[in-house]
Amino acid sequence: MLDTTLQPVADQSASQRRPVRPARSTTGQAARRPGPWRRLASPVVVLALWQAACSAGLISPQTLASPWQILQTAISLTRDGTLPHNLLVSLGRALSGLAIGTVAGVALALVAGLSRLGEDAVDALMQMGRTLPVLAMVPLFILWFGIGETPKIALVSLGVLFPIYLNLFKGVRNVDPKLLEMARTLGLSRAQTILQVILPGALPDLLLGLRFAVGISWLMLVVAEQINANSGIGHMMMDAEDFLRTDIILVGLFVYAALGLISDQIVRSIEARVLAWRPSNVR
Amino acid sequence: MNMMHRPEPVIRPEPVIRIEGLTRRFGGPAVLDALDLSVGRGEFVALLGRSGSGKTTLLRTLAGLDDVTEGRVQVPGDVAVVFQESRLLPWKRVWQNVGLGLGARDAKDRAIAALGEVGLDHRVDAWPLTLSGGEAQRAGIARALVREPQFLMLDEPFASLDALTRLKMQAMVGELWQRHRCAVLLVTHDVDEALLLADRAVVLEHGRIRTEVDIDLPRPRRHADAEFNRLRGVLLDALGVEQASH
């Protein structure tokens, strides 16, 4: 089994080998990058060792399921609908939390960034709030919101709020004053200046904040779903713990990892599109 | 040579910019000290001075970026500024930068026409950060001209360009001015640039006018001209530059 499943991948990695090149070329000269295959070599080796150790009986399934077992569990969990259902529930929580936190963070950052009065009203609170460990508020959230969807979405929203706020506020305030002067000499109105100069200038910072926020939203979700929930990937994993099903737990872990990776890629591709004016993105 | 050099009084056009007794302090000694200056309609004035002489403060005041605290300043409503750095918005394409704030329905056409005038037709859709220094400065000039200003201010616009590009840009500004005939105030510390382009050169020192020279030379002007050389001597002297006597 081991040989037949892993061999093709290893073969491919050898045949696609290319001459050494910097991993990231900063010059926009070539769309050709070194193939991802070579970078896959070490994970494949680790996977092979892991499988070998499990097959040889060195690791008991109750400690760590084998990769093959995990794959089969993932397939059966998908077939019987458990995984898709829990995945959708988790995705829904993450997305609603991300949306609420982003909207609130953007609104607060604009209020604080665009007026001194707003800064006085908002910024001190936010700077204090960001030092709070959000995860430590879980007990309070359960007392306030019970054990339904609300505390989970609230936790994600709160985790997302701060990176969005802090980065966008900084971005609004750090817009090049020379460009603002230029806008004044062109006779741009306040609204025009905000729309054409300040907001586009702060966009890179907002996107940076969004990348942090996406990472944090998954972290918050893991915690929220493992403390009390009757659905979601985290719940599926906690359930599996009771039955010593390390294979299901690992499926959950891989799903979380994949979600994190995919969402980061999505933000990056938004960045490349929206910040097309940056020399590194110009083709 | 230390005397104020003023040839026979010239009949000046009606002034569009009038500065009377303008004084500006930032804590210490006055940066502008009871300055009087006027620029006539369609007149090209070069403002020279060493760094710290108050050139930039004067320009910022005329551009409305600094407040007038003492004295009187009268400037038309339609003023355009070309800064030393082009100050293009990097997230807008070149034509969008030129048409910024125009609001009119034909903003794009006007922007493209202005870019054509400065020889940037081929870069209309480019992102500003991909422009060369000279191209960016041309775009800055197009952005100023597209507004058809009565008064154009140029703040050392060619200072960061290489010598060849600078010569081309100077010639271009000269032509554009002849075509548009707006009043121009060119802040520079390049004496030759002032003599090539301006009707009048004003040398600022400690916030006051030290020397004012009418440059009554036929255009296009040449460096080799005897009068050109004499005026260069006058201006360099006013700027406190020691010259070898020959």
Side-chain angles (χ1 to χ4, degrees):
Chain A
M1 262 312 165
L2 169 71
D3 284 353
T4 53
T5 51
L6 294 180
Q7 212 49 58
V9 180
D11 271 343
Q12 233 168 344
S13 93
S15 66
Q16 300 256 339
R17 193 159 290 183
R18 281 184 189 166
V20 181
R21 225 175 242 261
R24 275 172 193 225
S25 87
T26 43
T27 58
Q29 37 129 308
R32 288 194 307 154
R33 274 176 276 151
W37 305 111
R38 204 179 38 186
R39 292 177 58 80
L40 272 179
S42 56
V44 167
V45 168
V46 170
L47 215 58
L49 288 175
W50 176 1
Q51 179 67 50
C54 289
S55 304
L58 293 175
I59 305 175
S60 91
Q62 273 138 44
T63 311
L64 195 63
S66 74
W68 180 242
Q69 177 63 46
I70 294 169
L71 185 66
Q72 284 187 323
T73 307
I75 292 170
S76 73
L77 284 175
T78 311
R79 285 234 175 93
D80 71 8
T82 318
L83 187 58
H85 167 71
N86 287 314
L87 183 60
L88 277 181
V89 170
S90 290
L91 265 179
R93 288 173 183 151
L95 285 179
S96 1
L98 195 63
I100 295 171
T102 303
V103 168
V106 166
L108 287 170
L110 292 184
V111 168
L114 295 176
S115 81
R116 293 284 160 196
L117 184 68
E119 182 183 358
D120 292 342
V122 173
D123 194 54
L125 277 176
M126 293 299 287
Q127 297 295 342
M128 278 187 262
R130 87 189 166 105
T131 63
L132 272 180
V134 176
L135 290 177
M137 298 179 71
V138 168
L140 204 56
F141 274 32
I142 292 175
L143 283 180
W144 287 349
F145 305 120
I147 54 167
E149 291 300 292
T150 319
K152 298 173 186 67
I153 294 174
L155 200 65
V156 175
S157 309
L158 199 64
V160 163
L161 177 69
F162 292 104
I164 295 282
Y165 171 85
L166 293 170
N167 282 285
L168 182 56
F169 177 68
K170 188 193 83 183
V172 168
R173 281 302 162 89
N174 285 356
V175 167
D176 187 353
K178 289 184 171 176
L179 293 182
L180 294 175
E181 276 183 5
M182 180 277 299
R184 270 178 73 187
T185 63
L186 290 188
L188 261 56
S189 68
R190 176 74 178 151
Q192 280 175 318
T193 306
I194 290 173
L195 285 176
Q196 320 255 26
V197 185
I198 297 179
L199 293 187
L203 195 58
D205 291 285
L206 174 64
L207 288 170
L208 182 66
L210 187 63
R211 257 168 77 186
F212 284 125
V214 164
I216 287 177
S217 68
W218 293 116
L219 181 71
M220 294 293 151
L221 193 68
V222 170
V223 175
E225 290 188 339
Q226 290 193 354
I227 287 171
N228 58 71
N230 40 33
S231 58
I233 299 294
H235 162 74
M236 188 184 83
M237 291 163 72
M238 291 312 283
D239 231 22
E241 188 198 338
D242 298 339
F243 303 100
L244 306 177
R245 292 286 302 272
T246 54
D247 52 339
I248 298 183
I249 296 180
L250 282 158
V251 168
L253 277 177
F254 281 122
V255 169
Y256 274 139
L259 288 175
L261 212 63
I262 292 168
S263 50
D264 195 61
Q265 280 304 318
I266 292 175
V267 181
R268 276 170 193 267
S269 67
I270 294 175
E271 247 174 30
R273 183 175 287 241
V274 178
L275 306 182
W277 50 269
R278 288 190 157 184
S280 56
N281 293 333
V282 172
R283 306 230 154 203
Chain B
M1 269 306 228
N2 271 336
M3 283 185 334
M4 288 268 270
H5 174 90
R6 263 192 193 273
E8 293 308 299
V10 185
I11 302 145
R12 298 203 191 283
E14 143 207 24
V16 281
I17 292 95
R18 234 192 234 112
I19 303 163
E20 285 165 15
L22 178 64
T23 299
R24 190 74 170 112
R25 279 171 230 280
F26 298 104
V31 180
L32 294 176
D33 190 2
L35 184 77
D36 295 319
L37 179 69
S38 57
V39 180
R41 187 173 299 281
E43 190 185 15
F44 198 131
V45 175
L47 186 65
L48 293 142
R50 293 196 271 182
S51 30
S53 58
K55 303 190 298 272
T56 304
T57 307
L58 177 58
L59 179 126
R60 291 180 56 86
T61 307
L62 292 176
L65 296 171
D66 273 350
D67 295 332
V68 178
T69 47
E70 285 179 68
R72 268 166 35 89
V73 171
Q74 202 185 314
V75 186
D78 46 344
V79 173
V81 189
V82 175
F83 296 96
Q84 187 175 342
E85 329 80 17
S86 57
R87 302 198 186 185
L88 300 169
L89 297 175
W91 44 83
K92 290 201 176 285
R93 295 190 186 269
V94 167
W95 75 263
Q96 291 172 316
N97 265 287
V98 172
L100 195 64
L102 280 184
R105 205 171 303 149
D106 59 346
K108 181 166 186 179
D109 295 337
R110 282 169 64 192
I112 290 173
L115 283 164
E117 250 192 302
V118 298
L120 266 189
D121 322 56
H122 57 300
R123 301 295 266 149
V124 162
D125 280 319
W127 295 112
L129 293 182
T130 65
L131 299 181
S132 70
E135 286 175 333
Q137 212 48 289
R138 282 168 193 261
I141 291 171
R143 181 178 59 193
L145 284 180
V146 78
R147 279 141 240 280
E148 295 289 343
Q150 249 190 86
F151 179 40
L152 174 65
M153 277 180 277
L154 303 153
D155 184 11
E156 302 192 24
F158 317 127
S160 54
L161 303 180
D162 65 87
L164 271 176
T165 312
R166 190 181 312 150
L167 287 178
K168 281 188 203 157
M169 296 282 284
Q170 286 166 349
M172 188 191 78
V173 165
E175 285 165 25
L176 288 172
W177 170 71
Q178 302 230 318
R179 203 171 321 146
H180 290 264
R181 283 289 164 185
C182 48
V184 175
L185 185 69
L186 169 70
V187 174
T188 180
H189 46 227
D190 181 344
V191 169
D192 282 17
E193 186 170 294
L195 291 173
L196 272 176
L197 292 170
D199 297 319
R200 182 156 56 110
V202 175
V203 178
L204 218 57
E205 189 180 72
H206 304 307
R208 289 172 153 274
I209 292 174
R210 166 162 177 169
T211 307
E212 214 174 329
V213 179
D214 284 304
I215 308 164
D216 197 10
L217 294 172
R219 293 167 193 266
R221 293 166 177 168
R222 277 165 307 154
H223 293 75
D225 202 271
E227 178 67 3
F228 192 102
N229 273 317
R230 191 188 67 78
L231 290 172
R232 180 196 285 135
V234 172
L235 289 177
L236 285 174
D237 191 60
L239 288 163
V241 179
E242 299 276 334
Q243 297 161 78
S245 48
H246 44 205

